[in-house]
Amino acid sequence: MKRLFGGIISKMKSNRAFTLIELLVVIAIIGILAAIIFLNVTGARSQAHDTAVKANLTNIETALNQFAGNHNESFGVSDDGGGGAILCPLPGDSSGTGVFYDPAIEDNIATTLTNSPGGTAWCFSANDAFALAVSRPAELNASKSYFWCVDSTGNKCGNNGDQGDPTFPPIIGGACVPCTVTD
């Protein structure tokens, strides 16, 4: 009897190692789970950046309206000379006139760009209208960009999809282009 159980026990002890197939299956399962978690974290990060950019645009809209209230209901003129949008000035740039050269607004735009890594900001103001658009390059697909825009009509929205050139300003005639994503 002792010999019978002893033989079974010794056989069990000698077969305790995992086979190569079993190890590969476990590694594959761990890889799949890691990929799923990575995609979820990346999506959450992108949504957090979008939320921050939209919140900053709301703050900038308030600051722009306060500027106009303090300057005879005028935003001043900030355009390319032909009524088109310009790249927004960076903090300390006093080479132009208009609402976007106000130091507080320049700082708000810089903060917005911090929340939009690799993005650009486009500004336009006429005496009675403004528009500001910020591009949000997509983290996973460089050919798709997201634009969030705010204008003097209170329009706050964005465009997403294949925009081609991520520096293209989605501002036409002092207003945001028709949007596909609303706030």
Side-chain angles (χ1 to χ4, degrees):
M1 193 64 110
K2 184 176 181 184
R3 186 170 185 199
L4 176 66
F5 288 118
I8 293 173
I9 290 174
S10 66
K11 267 190 170 180
M12 287 176 56
K13 285 183 182 178
S14 67
N15 290 333
R16 293 189 71 151
F18 291 107
T19 66
L20 181 60
I21 297 295
E22 290 170 329
L23 288 174
L24 290 175
V25 167
V26 169
I27 291 171
I29 290 171
I30 290 171
I32 290 169
L33 292 173
I36 290 170
I37 290 170
F38 176 74
L39 289 175
N40 286 335
V41 168
T42 303
R45 183 179 303 133
S46 181
Q47 285 180 329
H49 284 277
D50 280 344
T51 301
V53 167
K54 290 189 288 187
N56 288 339
L57 286 177
T58 299
N59 292 340
I60 293 171
E61 178 187 23
T62 301
L64 291 169
N65 287 322
Q66 287 175 343
F67 178 94
N70 293 334
H71 292 88
N72 297 321
E73 300 303 320
S74 175
F75 297 106
V77 177
S78 298
D79 67 5
D80 64 359
I86 59 170
L87 280 171
C88 293
L90 298 174
D93 184 352
S94 59
S95 63
T97 60
V99 68
F100 294 106
Y101 289 91
D102 181 83
I105 293 171
E106 285 178 342
D107 288 342
N108 279 328
I109 292 170
T111 300
T112 303
L113 287 173
T114 301
N115 293 313
S116 181
T120 53
W122 290 90
C123 300
F124 170 85
S125 69
N127 288 322
D128 60 348
F130 73 82
L132 170 67
V134 176
S135 69
R136 286 263 309 114
E139 283 86 358
L140 295 177
N141 186 346
S143 69
K144 293 190 183 252
S145 293
Y146 299 85
F147 291 92
W148 294 106
C149 190
V150 62
D151 62 32
S152 53
T153 65
N155 187 16
K156 284 183 251 181
C157 61
N159 284 329
N160 62 2
D162 189 6
Q163 302 293 330
D165 180 5
T167 62
F168 174 74
I171 298 171
I172 297 175
C176 300
V177 298
C179 298
T180 57
V181 179
T182 57
D183 187 18

